[in-house]
Amino acid sequence: MNTTPENSEKTRELAWQIMHAALNAVEPGAAVRRHLHLANGRLRIGGLHGAERTYDLNEFDRALVVGGGKAGAPMAAAVNEVLGSRLAGGVVVVKHEHLLDDPTATGPIEIFEAGHPVPDEAGLQGAGRIADLLRSTTSRDLVLCLISGGGSALMTSPMPGISLADLQSLTQVLLGCGATINEINTIRKHISQLKGGQLAQLASPSPVISLILSDVVGDPLEVVASGPTTPDPTTFGDAWSILERYGVLDDVPASITNHLNAGLKGAISDTPKPSDPVFDGVQNVIVGSNRLAAQAAAAEAQRLGFDTILLTTFLEGEAREVAKAIAGLAKGLVRGETTHPSDRALLQPACLVLGGETTVTLRGDGKGGRTQEMALAAALSVADWEGILIAFLATDGTDGPTDAAGAFADGNTVARANRLGLDAEVHLAGNDSYHFFQKLEDLIITGPTNTNVNDLALILASG
Amino acid sequence: MNTTPENSEKTRELAWQIMHAALNAVEPGAAVRRHLHLANGRLRIGGLHGAERTYDLNEFDRALVVGGGKAGAPMAAAVNEVLGSRLAGGVVVVKHEHLLDDPTATGPIEIFEAGHPVPDEAGLQGAGRIADLLRSTTSRDLVLCLISGGGSALMTSPMPGISLADLQSLTQVLLGCGATINEINTIRKHISQLKGGQLAQLASPSPVISLILSDVVGDPLEVVASGPTTPDPTTFGDAWSILERYGVLDDVPASITNHLNAGLKGAISDTPKPSDPVFDGVQNVIVGSNRLAAQAAAAEAQRLGFDTILLTTFLEGEAREVAKAIAGLAKGLVRGETTHPSDRALLQPACLVLGGETTVTLRGDGKGGRTQEMALAAALSVADWEGILIAFLATDGTDGPTDAAGAFADGNTVARANRLGLDAEVHLAGNDSYHFFQKLEDLIITGPTNTNVNDLALILASG
């Protein structure tokens, strides 16, 4: 790859192929189908983490589906497709406008549309239906739980006596006092009926197969959708201390402090802990994750002839600065510095794959998102370098409040922008990456992908 | 490597061995000796970049040494050691207190001590002696030029009529108006006698062998010490435009604008351009660089049993954010994600080597530097992770205004600090990494190394 327009176009096509392979690997329906196999009434489930298990459906009266998250509908359709007449019913809560075109595809599973990221009454109603259904299950029921990003807000089911308005008031107080997202979630788990392993507890003694599409860097199961099928290491005492430490005990609705206080006194049992036998019956399976997407990207790049290294899926930090590090990796790669264990420099064309999710500190009032801002910062770092193409992709197809998934950066980006009268530094200073790449026609537009496993960075080099 | 104190101690010892191998590879004397071979009166010179050349010293009347930079003294001693009686003399300018213990080691080469980073009269005097010596050379002289970091300030030789005070006034005006370092150097090259290829021009028709210890990321020869033996792509017109654009033509001393104006009118010839035949007689050899140090580190890590990848020597960006990216690489490595082309995950223990130089935006008034701040930010990112050790090293042994070269970060750093009453977040917010690691006894202290090839990051992992 050099910088002639033809070769640049060709390299972008290859980058598109790599990105499509990554997105296909984590399409929610495909991700579920890949981990769920039914033959002769035996349901075999295998995941990236955790051992394979097989369930004889003839030993169960009902196979039920519950769950919530933005990818809920295509995941439910995939379960319906695999289980067919073996599926008795279920309830899944999805985000408004995240229904399938064909409403019959989810079969007997009831789909609730609800609010995200701010929970609404529809979500409470759907989550309440899930809780009611699980209270009815016995050891003759098999529960499949479908979890994806957004599941925490969508499956909001506060303890009796706590209203939606109380929850909203709590959120305002906690955000206002500077509590971290982990602290906020510790409190939420202790006033909710499903979070922090309590969904699995409600389903007990039914075995639970939890199929998880992870939208959190590193796939911490207790964090994805607030971990409805995962032990909760935090306690009522922790929740109370957080409110005490920030001095907001008096600002939080009494319904909430009363509930936490009852928990402190032991009048209400705590969320289930790792040693709880409930989890013997639970199989958590990550069906899709950033790692899976990155592995698919690396495999496709290798297949297309790139000498490829997958580096990590744990990339975090301020977008524009992490982008400089990515640009540094690209420069080392194209200069032939990148050398793998057998002491051979990577052959050109070469590819590095990284995943994770960065953050943007807003400085201006432009339009953009994490991945587009990374592309803009990277373009400045690799200006006038030959043989480098970097693609940044948000796997949900929606980077920040834009219709783009990301953007391309190469050594010509800044010069081409200058010729169009665009100043890369000015756009970066104003967080206005979208309008920069829109005018260059270098946006990566996939449309909504119905999945979310964070972001990918692809570095392609040919010296 | 796990987190028992014994294993942690053992891994640090291995990290020290890797760092020593890197530093030994770029020790200025060793670096020069490795590229300079004399046998039967024939001087053979080979470098990382550029072809090998051989000079028959019997064809020359004199072999002379000129140059400047912080590593000037040990480089001069190495040339004296290799050439012995073949060496006729020379002049090298070094920083105050950068002399050798044994002043006879540099033989007939005159060593000038001068000011850095602010040039002083001693530097002007030394640089003037270099210019005088070079004006005397003929095609029967062979000139060896020794260039290292700091050489630009140390070899300050303004054009006649421009005083040291004029130069200082120019620097103040340019820094005050927000000119970039590249813009400042463009102007400096056009009012100096040695910068921007003019040292080689003065030496002509003598052949010039320039031995360069690079302290600039990516080794751009026109930037290291302001490129005394490298073509200068910039012109008098560029220099003038910069002063015009910032509206500071009237603020700059008249001696300087008069000189630039004379150049604009063609009354003074411009700095030598890439097509200038002068450079046919010039051999630029990088004897030491970040890449060389990183390669030595990677080779030693591999020898010690680490499955190793050298990634890049182009790492740049804000220290604390780049550190998060480094931590992300460490997490991918210890989790077995890092997979090289033959589709094999790196075997544990594994090592990643990166080089470059980051920057710190000062927020507080604490004590620290780039590498120590990276270690502090990385420690926060890998808190409670097992099996990771990251070492950040400034190869000159002096990170920022401290006596430390860097620091170690691992998954226990933050917890150990907490037990000592140290808050990592508070120290990071105050740019106070030195006092944090000092109390933990996790500073990397090498003492001054007399070399400077930017910084290294070593990631060691064992899951």
Side-chain angles (χ1 to χ4, degrees):
Chain A
M1 163 175 111
N2 62 35
T3 48
T4 66
E6 301 72 39
N7 281 348
S8 166
E9 204 50 49
K10 173 71 181 155
T11 308
R12 284 178 190 222
E13 273 170 37
L14 296 173
W16 271 110
Q17 282 185 255
I18 296 168
M19 289 189 283
H20 279 135
L23 291 176
N24 286 338
V26 290
E27 189 279 312
V32 166
R33 281 190 299 269
R34 196 179 305 118
H35 294 81
L36 212 57
H37 305 277
L38 181 67
N40 303 324
R42 295 178 69 83
L43 184 65
R44 181 167 54 82
I45 288 154
L48 291 174
H49 305 284
E52 188 174 282
R53 287 196 202 177
T54 301
Y55 303 81
D56 185 348
L57 294 188
N58 298 316
E59 293 177 6
F60 294 96
D61 296 330
R62 298 185 296 178
L64 298 170
V65 170
V66 296
K70 287 187 261 184
M75 291 176 86
V79 173
N80 181 53
E81 187 187 320
V82 174
L83 291 190
S85 63
R86 298 277 188 169
L87 181 61
V91 180
V92 170
V93 190
V94 306
K95 186 174 172 174
H96 287 300
E97 295 170 17
H98 279 56
L99 295 179
L100 299 175
D101 291 338
D102 173 11
T104 67
T106 47
I109 302 167
E110 214 179 330
I111 304 288
F112 273 75
E113 279 185 279
H116 178 275
V118 180
D120 62 8
E121 288 292 349
L124 266 66
Q125 209 191 330
R129 288 276 293 116
I130 291 174
D132 290 343
L133 179 60
L134 294 178
R135 283 193 195 94
S136 78
T137 61
T138 72
S139 60
R140 299 278 304 169
D141 293 316
L142 178 65
V143 174
L144 286 94
C145 179
L146 308 179
I147 294 175
S148 57
S152 186
L154 293 168
M155 284 196 284
T156 294
S157 183
M159 291 293 180
I162 300 174
S163 71
L164 184 59
D166 292 342
L167 291 182
Q168 286 162 348
S169 160
L170 172 74
T171 300
Q172 275 186 334
V173 168
L174 291 174
L175 291 176
C177 74
T180 67
I181 184 66
N182 280 341
E183 291 170 335
I184 293 174
N185 284 335
T186 295
I187 295 168
R188 283 180 175 160
K189 286 180 181 181
H190 286 88
I191 56 171
S192 303
Q193 297 192 51
L194 299 176
K195 299 183 204 302
Q198 295 177 102
L199 187 152
Q201 198 172 36
L202 267 187
S204 176
S206 306
V208 175
I209 303 159
S210 194
L211 304 177
I212 302 163
L213 191 68
S214 166
D215 70 332
V216 183
V217 170
D219 310 332
L221 296 187
E222 73 283 8
V223 178
V224 181
S226 293
T229 58
T230 314
D232 176 28
T234 69
T235 65
F236 275 112
D238 295 329
W240 190 266
S241 314
I242 291 163
L243 295 179
E244 217 166 25
R245 178 148 27 92
Y246 286 104
V248 293
L249 272 170
D250 293 341
D251 307 328
V252 167
S255 63
I256 290 174
T257 44
N258 287 344
H259 180 79
L260 294 177
N261 200 26
L264 267 183
K265 291 176 180 168
I268 304 168
S269 57
D270 211 321
T271 50
K273 299 290 164 271
S275 60
D276 197 306
V278 158
F279 296 105
D280 296 344
V282 175
Q283 183 186 10
N284 284 308
V285 181
I286 296 175
V287 296
S289 65
N290 189 264
R291 184 187 285 194
L292 203 73
Q295 286 171 335
E300 179 70 1
Q302 191 77 34
R303 196 186 70 80
L304 291 172
F306 292 87
D307 206 0
T308 304
I309 297 182
L310 165 57
L311 283 173
T312 184
T313 65
F314 288 92
L315 209 56
E316 295 181 284
E318 181 70 25
R320 64 185 62 200
E321 301 300 330
V322 174
K324 289 180 193 166
I326 299 268
L329 292 173
K331 292 174 183 176
L333 188 65
V334 79
R335 284 285 174 86
E337 290 183 341
T338 311
T339 309
H340 76 65
S342 65
D343 226 6
R344 173 175 72 77
L346 257 69
L347 302 173
Q348 313 270 346
C351 173
L352 299 179
V353 178
L354 300 97
E357 188 165 317
T358 61
T359 44
V360 169
T361 303
L362 285 179
R363 293 157 170 87
D365 57 359
K367 187 174 177 180
R370 310 174 302 276
T371 59
Q372 293 164 77
E373 184 147 316
M374 289 182 87
L376 183 49
L380 281 161
S381 290
V382 302
D384 300 326
W385 279 69
E386 294 199 2
I388 293 173
L389 176 68
I390 313 181
F392 295 95
L393 174 76
T395 56
D396 65 356
T398 309
D399 178 40
T402 78
D403 61 2
F408 288 110
D410 66 27
N412 290 329
T413 304
V414 171
R416 285 175 51 229
N418 284 343
R419 289 198 291 275
L420 295 176
L422 296 169
D423 185 323
E425 295 276 11
V426 168
H427 278 264
L428 183 58
N431 296 118
D432 198 29
S433 49
Y434 179 82
H435 293 121
F436 180 86
F437 287 111
Q438 187 183 38
K439 283 176 192 145
L440 281 175
E441 300 184 358
D442 284 347
L443 288 172
I444 293 171
I445 296 184
T446 60
T449 61
N450 286 320
T451 192
N452 180 15
V453 294
N454 311 112
D455 305 333
L456 291 178
L458 303 178
I459 303 171
L460 304 182
S462 178
Chain B
M1 158 176 117
N2 61 34
T3 47
T4 65
E6 300 73 37
N7 281 346
S8 165
E9 205 48 53
K10 173 71 181 155
T11 307
R12 284 178 191 224
E13 273 171 37
L14 296 173
W16 271 109
Q17 279 185 255
I18 296 168
M19 290 190 283
H20 279 135
L23 291 175
N24 286 339
V26 291
E27 188 279 311
V32 165
R33 282 191 299 269
R34 196 179 304 122
H35 293 83
L36 213 57
H37 305 278
L38 181 67
N40 305 322
R42 296 178 67 81
L43 184 64
R44 180 166 55 82
I45 288 154
L48 292 175
H49 305 283
E52 188 173 282
R53 288 195 200 178
T54 300
Y55 303 82
D56 185 349
L57 294 188
N58 299 316
E59 292 177 7
F60 294 96
D61 296 330
R62 299 186 295 179
L64 299 169
V65 170
V66 296
K70 287 186 261 183
M75 291 175 85
V79 173
N80 181 54
E81 186 187 321
V82 174
L83 291 191
S85 63
R86 298 279 188 169
L87 181 61
V91 181
V92 170
V93 189
V94 307
K95 186 174 172 173
H96 287 300
E97 295 169 16
H98 279 57
L99 295 178
L100 299 176
D101 292 338
D102 173 12
T104 68
T106 48
I109 303 167
E110 215 180 329
I111 304 289
F112 274 76
E113 278 186 279
H116 178 275
V118 180
D120 62 8
E121 288 291 350
L124 266 66
Q125 208 189 330
R129 286 276 295 113
I130 290 174
D132 290 343
L133 179 61
L134 294 179
R135 281 195 195 91
S136 78
T137 61
T138 72
S139 61
R140 300 277 304 167
D141 294 317
L142 179 65
V143 174
L144 287 94
C145 180
L146 308 179
I147 295 174
S148 56
S152 187
L154 294 168
M155 284 195 285
T156 294
S157 182
M159 290 294 179
I162 300 175
S163 70
L164 184 58
D166 292 342
L167 291 182
Q168 287 163 346
S169 161
L170 173 73
T171 301
Q172 275 186 333
V173 168
L174 291 174
L175 290 177
C177 73
T180 67
I181 184 65
N182 280 341
E183 291 170 336
I184 293 174
N185 284 335
T186 294
I187 295 169
R188 283 180 175 160
K189 286 181 180 180
H190 285 88
I191 56 172
S192 303
Q193 298 191 52
L194 298 176
K195 300 183 203 304
Q198 295 177 102
L199 188 152
Q201 197 172 37
L202 267 186
S204 176
S206 305
V208 175
I209 302 159
S210 194
L211 304 177
I212 302 164
L213 191 67
S214 167
D215 71 333
V216 184
V217 170
D219 309 331
L221 296 187
E222 73 282 8
V223 179
V224 181
S226 294
T229 58
T230 314
D232 176 27
T234 69
T235 65
F236 275 113
D238 294 330
W240 190 266
S241 312
I242 291 163
L243 296 180
E244 218 167 26
R245 180 148 25 93
Y246 286 105
V248 294
L249 272 169
D250 293 342
D251 307 329
V252 167
S255 63
I256 289 173
T257 45
N258 288 344
H259 180 80
L260 293 178
N261 201 25
L264 265 183
K265 291 177 180 169
I268 304 168
S269 57
D270 211 324
T271 50
K273 298 292 165 271
S275 60
D276 198 307
V278 158
F279 296 106
D280 296 345
V282 175
Q283 183 186 9
N284 283 308
V285 181
I286 296 175
V287 296
S289 64
N290 189 263
R291 185 188 284 195
L292 204 74
Q295 287 172 334
E300 179 70 1
Q302 191 78 34
R303 195 185 71 78
L304 293 171
F306 291 88
D307 205 1
T308 303
I309 296 182
L310 165 57
L311 283 174
T312 184
T313 66
F314 288 93
L315 210 56
E316 296 181 284
E318 180 71 24
R320 63 184 64 199
E321 301 298 331
V322 174
K324 289 180 192 166
I326 300 265
L329 291 173
K331 292 174 183 177
L333 188 65
V334 77
R335 284 285 172 87
E337 290 184 341
T338 311
T339 309
H340 77 65
S342 65
D343 225 5
R344 174 174 74 75
L346 258 70
L347 301 173
Q348 312 272 346
C351 173
L352 299 179
V353 178
L354 300 96
E357 188 166 315
T358 60
T359 45
V360 169
T361 303
L362 285 179
R363 292 158 171 86
D365 57 358
K367 186 174 179 180
R370 309 174 302 275
T371 59
Q372 292 163 78
E373 184 147 316
M374 289 182 87
L376 183 48
L380 281 161
S381 289
V382 302
D384 300 327
W385 280 69
E386 293 199 3
I388 292 172
L389 176 68
I390 313 180
F392 295 95
L393 174 76
T395 56
D396 65 356
T398 310
D399 179 39
T402 78
D403 61 2
F408 289 110
D410 66 26
N412 290 329
T413 304
V414 172
R416 283 174 51 230
N418 284 342
R419 289 197 291 275
L420 295 176
L422 296 168
D423 185 324
E425 294 277 10
V426 168
H427 278 264
L428 183 59
N431 297 118
D432 198 29
S433 50
Y434 180 83
H435 293 122
F436 180 86
F437 288 110
Q438 187 183 36
K439 284 175 193 145
L440 280 175
E441 299 184 359
D442 283 347
L443 288 172
I444 294 171
I445 296 184
T446 61
T449 61
N450 287 320
T451 192
N452 179 14
V453 294
N454 311 112
D455 305 331
L456 291 178
L458 303 177
I459 303 171
L460 304 182
S462 177

